[in-house]
Amino acid sequence: IHDVLKYQRDHYEGTNFDLTQGLAAGPWGDPTRYDGSANGLRRTITEIQDDLPPSVSALHSGRFERAISMFRTSYSIAVQSFSPTIKRDAVTWYAQSAPHAGVYVPLTLNGGDVPKPHAIGSLFQYNKDSLFWRITIIANWMRANIFKLARVDVDLAQTQLERIFHKSILNDAPTNRNARLADIALTSWEQLFNKLVTKYHDGFRLHIAN
């Protein structure tokens, strides 16, 4: 499952379409490519639905590749099933916001209700109790600062926490597990942002204890 989660965070690194390379990525390998209409023209409903530019000439002028891990992702999932001989519920690994900046939290049918950190939030109001906002603020900090260096810290945090979650799925009692793991993710991503904002600011990279 961890390989699948890694794929969903991909920007075609190491290929000819690597979005972390080239002039558009800047000096720090930022894979973000913002949307926009060509020459300020309005797009038709069909063009919006098909994610096309507003004219044939604009289409021929070139477009960036669409990343697997999009900067404006609302949420992503991966479903882990088990052999029929293993009497275990399927697991939905659920991450809000951009996958490369977020953490996948497992949800199971027997693990309780949808946790509060997954269920609250608005695009128009920051909420520290919303996991979407905890992840989104990290995604934006990575873009605003040294992306390719900050991603090392984020990757490490993702790997460590998701392996802890996997062990919990295999070994812990399911009672209220969904809420417990979501709360751990919320607290961990708050701590991760505190680390990033301290380690990378004002053009410096500080060496701090983990």
Side-chain angles (χ1 to χ4, degrees):
I1 186 63
H2 300 291
D3 286 341
V4 175
L5 303 184
K6 183 178 179 180
Y7 297 152
Q8 298 203 135
R9 293 173 167 132
D10 196 72
H11 302 103
Y12 313 119
E13 286 89 345
T15 74
N16 292 336
F17 308 102
D18 191 340
L19 292 169
T20 67
Q21 302 296 317
L23 289 175
W28 303 115
D30 182 2
T32 303
R33 303 292 184 271
Y34 292 113
D35 304 308
S37 59
N39 302 319
L41 298 176
R42 286 181 174 272
R43 295 189 294 176
T44 66
I45 295 298
T46 301
E47 289 167 342
I48 291 173
Q49 291 173 340
D50 294 340
D51 196 24
L52 295 174
S55 67
V56 174
S57 60
L59 178 64
H60 291 168
S61 67
R63 302 278 282 180
F64 286 113
E65 289 72 23
R66 182 187 178 93
I68 297 173
S69 181
M70 285 285 287
F71 69 92
R72 55 177 170 79
T73 301
S74 296
Y75 68 90
S76 57
I77 63 171
V79 178
Q80 180 182 18
S81 59
F82 299 89
S83 167
T85 59
I86 301 176
K87 295 182 178 180
R88 190 182 301 279
D89 285 345
V91 180
T92 298
W93 292 81
Y94 176 74
Q96 300 206 43
S97 194
H100 63 266
V103 59
Y104 282 91
V105 184
L107 299 169
T108 58
L109 284 174
N110 63 357
D113 294 335
V114 175
K116 180 181 176 182
H118 292 323
I120 63 173
S122 165
L123 291 177
F124 301 98
Q125 179 65 53
Y126 173 76
N127 188 333
K128 65 181 179 61
D129 297 321
S130 165
L131 193 51
F132 172 85
W133 275 111
R134 288 292 189 194
I135 295 170
T136 299
I137 198 171
I138 284 180
N140 280 269
W141 188 261
M142 292 170 71
R143 288 205 298 271
N145 289 276
I146 308 170
F147 185 94
K148 67 181 179 182
L149 299 183
R151 190 170 182 186
V152 174
D153 297 273
V154 174
D155 284 353
L156 179 61
Q158 290 166 338
T159 299
Q160 291 176 338
L161 196 55
E162 287 164 1
R163 292 194 180 279
I164 290 172
F165 288 164
H166 196 218
K167 289 181 180 178
S168 178
I169 289 295
L170 296 177
N171 302 317
D172 294 348
T175 305
N176 295 323
R177 183 175 56 205
N178 290 346
R180 292 200 314 270
L181 300 187
D183 287 341
I184 290 172
L186 188 71
T187 300
S188 298
W189 249 236
E190 177 185 13
Q191 294 170 348
L192 177 59
F193 178 70
N194 293 343
K195 176 182 178 180
L196 293 176
V197 80
T198 303
K199 189 172 182 179
Y200 305 103
H201 65 87
D202 299 329
F204 291 95
R205 175 189 180 188
L206 304 184
H207 292 277
I208 58 176
N210 292 324

